[in-house]
Amino acid sequence: MIPIKPVTAIKATAPVKRDLSDVPQDVTSQYLAAGSLNLTQLPPLSLYVHFPWCVRKCPYCDFNSHEVRGSFDETGYLNALRADLEAALPLIWGRKIYTIFIGGGTPSLMSAAGLDRLLSDVRTLLPLDGAAEITMEANPGTFEAEKFRSYRQSGINRLSVGIQSFNSRHLSALGRIHDGDEARRAVEIAQTNFDNFNLDLMFALPGQTLDEVRQDVETAIALAPPHLSLYHLTLEPNTYFAKYPPVIPDDDLSAEMQDLIHGKMAAAGYGNYEVSAYAQVKRESRHNLNYWNFGDYLGIGAGAHSKISFPHRVIRQARYKQPQTYMEAVAQGNAVQESYEIEAADMGFEFMLNSLRLQQGFKVALFQERTGLLLNTIEKELREAEQKGLLYRDHELITPTSLGKRFLNDLQQIFLKAE
């Protein structure tokens, strides 16, 4: 059996970038008026809103989340989000928002009134598509039936519930604030109030057996969620688990777990459309698909990242991470800590890093449409990937082979340009 490497983002040493953080946002679009790329049309645009607080930091979590110490300044943070969005508007004038994702942290710590105010501010400032997908992450330990009814009434039409496991022993090992019964109760509340929701599960957990993975997956399938995300636990740098690593299943057992998951999900009618994502027919996450198809997204909130395209440039931005620092920076007129152009030499890698996660691959024309470059700029890398049996392509489609899907990190690495 071929061992499966956990799929993680490849962190490359960045080339020298043109810093835009000191350029006033109201003139940045004029500053980006000329360059070497040529995008004939701009990609779909999503909005990401980051809520940075949680009840307790999980030992495996490397996201920008901060434990609540008694209380948090909800009103001050919502004020900052609105001001941040207003300041960013010149970068996206006239562009419609097709999906919104409110992530964290634990956004379900937000009050019903706070969430309603947030979505009201977004609608006031941005043109939303009439069928916009609006997702909110939620922790089962924070579920209150009445509050989630209010979330739905305010406009949330998709929920993403961080179950991780239905096994209380594993939940305790992961540092989660809920147990198995609360996980099931959270799904019941989600089913009652939302016809579109996702459940997050993890596998290859400390001390987990193959049979326990089977029980988790069968329990999830029995609840019939429209969408399931199944992630391999990875020991990320700068986490408690990285410093004090638990004993987790080896490569062979992890491979068996993943094979079991694939089989169970396929038999239940779920399509594996992305590395870790399974969906019922036409229930794929539109927000995540925009990421994997190298679409654009404006990120607001502490630590939020953005990718924004212009006819001749593509820029990335990152907001200040610490909540208080972020709010102070917004008050001073610029929440953006870092802003830079993606160099043309890196564009192919950035596109392939995302699009190769799609199990069915991508249409050849999408590369030029989203990068502004001709496909022959990565011809050498494409040929190498084909020769290694990791990639298949014809005149219409480029897709990872079965081997490429199993060794996705190696496939993506081929497209990483040397310094």
Side-chain angles (χ1 to χ4, degrees):
M1 180 179 294
I2 299 173
I4 301 173
K5 292 183 179 179
V7 177
T8 55
I10 300 172
K11 296 181 180 178
T13 302
V16 176
K17 303 178 178 74
R18 185 178 302 174
D19 191 342
L20 307 179
S21 56
D22 294 329
V23 179
Q25 291 189 353
D26 60 345
V27 299
T28 302
S29 56
Q30 298 174 32
Y31 175 80
L32 298 169
S36 60
L37 303 181
N38 183 28
L39 276 69
T40 56
Q41 61 182 6
L42 300 183
L45 179 64
S46 295
L47 175 68
Y48 175 77
V49 182
H50 192 74
F51 182 89
W53 290 285
C54 61
V55 175
R56 184 170 66 204
K57 184 82 169 180
C58 295
Y60 59 85
C61 179
D62 68 338
F63 295 143
N64 183 35
S65 58
H66 307 265
E67 291 188 7
V68 171
R69 304 294 185 182
S71 63
F72 59 90
D73 184 3
E74 179 175 277
T75 299
Y77 192 70
L78 290 171
N79 290 341
L81 286 175
R82 178 171 179 129
D84 187 1
L85 181 55
E86 288 177 332
L89 290 179
L91 297 175
I92 56 169
W93 280 132
R95 297 181 64 181
K96 186 178 291 187
I97 300 294
Y98 290 91
T99 69
I100 300 173
F101 195 99
I102 305 170
T106 304
S108 50
L109 287 175
M110 207 180 319
S111 69
L115 186 278
D116 189 67
R117 182 222 159 147
L118 170 61
L119 291 183
S120 176
D121 286 345
V122 168
R123 290 190 192 96
T124 299
L125 296 172
L126 294 174
L128 300 188
D129 181 71
E133 175 191 271
I134 305 176
T135 304
M136 181 180 190
E137 285 186 336
N139 186 319
T142 63
F143 266 63
E144 300 169 17
E146 184 58 39
K147 185 163 72 169
F148 278 83
R149 278 194 289 272
S150 295
Y151 288 164
R152 182 69 184 89
Q153 292 168 359
S154 294
I156 300 296
N157 55 29
R158 185 175 182 272
L159 209 61
S160 185
V161 188
I163 297 294
Q164 314 312 350
S165 177
F166 292 97
N167 183 309
S168 294
R169 177 171 61 86
H170 292 144
L171 289 169
S172 178
L174 290 173
R176 303 296 289 176
I177 63 171
H178 65 279
D179 59 22
D181 289 338
E182 288 173 311
R184 292 174 178 83
R185 174 60 178 156
V187 178
E188 290 175 4
I189 294 174
Q191 289 172 322
T192 300
N193 295 284
F194 298 87
D195 58 5
N196 193 10
F197 62 95
N198 165 68
L199 302 183
D200 275 350
L201 288 177
M202 300 176 73
F203 67 96
L205 307 179
Q208 190 176 39
T209 66
L210 188 63
D211 190 57
E212 287 172 332
V213 172
R214 179 183 293 106
Q215 291 173 22
D216 264 352
V217 174
E218 289 178 347
T219 299
I221 290 172
L223 294 167
H227 192 284
L228 269 166
S229 298
L230 289 136
Y231 301 104
H232 188 298
L233 173 65
T234 55
L235 307 185
E236 301 288 356
N238 303 315
T239 64
Y240 182 87
F241 272 0
K243 187 176 182 180
Y244 304 102
V247 178
I248 58 176
D250 61 23
D251 286 345
D252 286 340
L253 181 53
S254 294
E256 289 185 64
M257 290 176 173
Q258 190 150 356
D259 286 343
L260 181 148
I261 289 168
H262 286 327
K264 288 285 184 183
M265 297 301 293
Y270 287 82
N272 180 205
Y273 70 98
E274 186 269 339
V275 171
S276 303
Y278 298 80
Q280 295 174 345
V281 177
K282 297 183 179 180
R283 291 302 189 100
E284 295 87 356
S285 166
R286 289 165 49 203
H287 186 86
N288 287 347
L289 277 174
N290 193 40
Y291 287 156
W292 308 138
N293 281 302
F294 209 49
D296 279 358
Y297 48 93
L298 171 65
I300 61 170
H305 288 249
S306 303
K307 170 192 168 277
I308 304 174
S309 300
F310 301 86
H312 306 289
R313 293 286 188 273
V314 179
I315 67 169
R316 288 197 181 279
Q317 293 182 334
R319 265 66 175 162
Y320 288 91
K321 293 181 66 173
Q322 291 291 331
Q324 189 59 42
T325 303
Y326 163 76
M327 288 189 281
E328 291 170 358
V330 172
Q332 293 169 7
N334 191 3
V336 178
Q337 183 177 25
E338 182 183 18
S339 185
Y340 61 87
E341 297 174 12
I342 302 177
E343 299 291 340
D346 298 319
M347 194 71 74
F349 170 67
E350 293 232 11
F351 177 90
M352 299 300 277
L353 180 67
N354 288 277
S355 61
L356 288 175
R357 294 182 65 95
L358 295 170
Q359 300 293 281
Q360 301 305 314
F362 60 92
K363 292 183 178 180
V364 169
L366 189 68
F367 180 84
Q368 184 171 352
E369 180 183 317
R370 296 291 161 88
T371 67
L373 302 171
L374 297 175
L375 187 64
N376 62 17
T377 59
I378 57 169
E379 178 61 30
K380 177 183 176 182
E381 292 81 8
L382 288 170
R383 190 177 299 118
E384 179 184 345
E386 282 185 288
Q387 290 171 347
K388 291 182 176 180
L390 300 174
L391 194 73
Y392 167 82
R393 61 170 168 158
D394 57 29
H395 67 286
E396 291 186 345
L397 188 70
I398 296 176
T399 183
T401 62
S402 295
L403 187 64
K405 293 172 184 176
R406 283 183 173 269
F407 290 94
L408 182 56
N409 282 346
D410 298 296
L411 173 55
Q412 292 169 324
Q413 189 77 35
I414 291 172
F415 295 90
L416 177 59
K417 300 284 187 182
E419 286 271 356

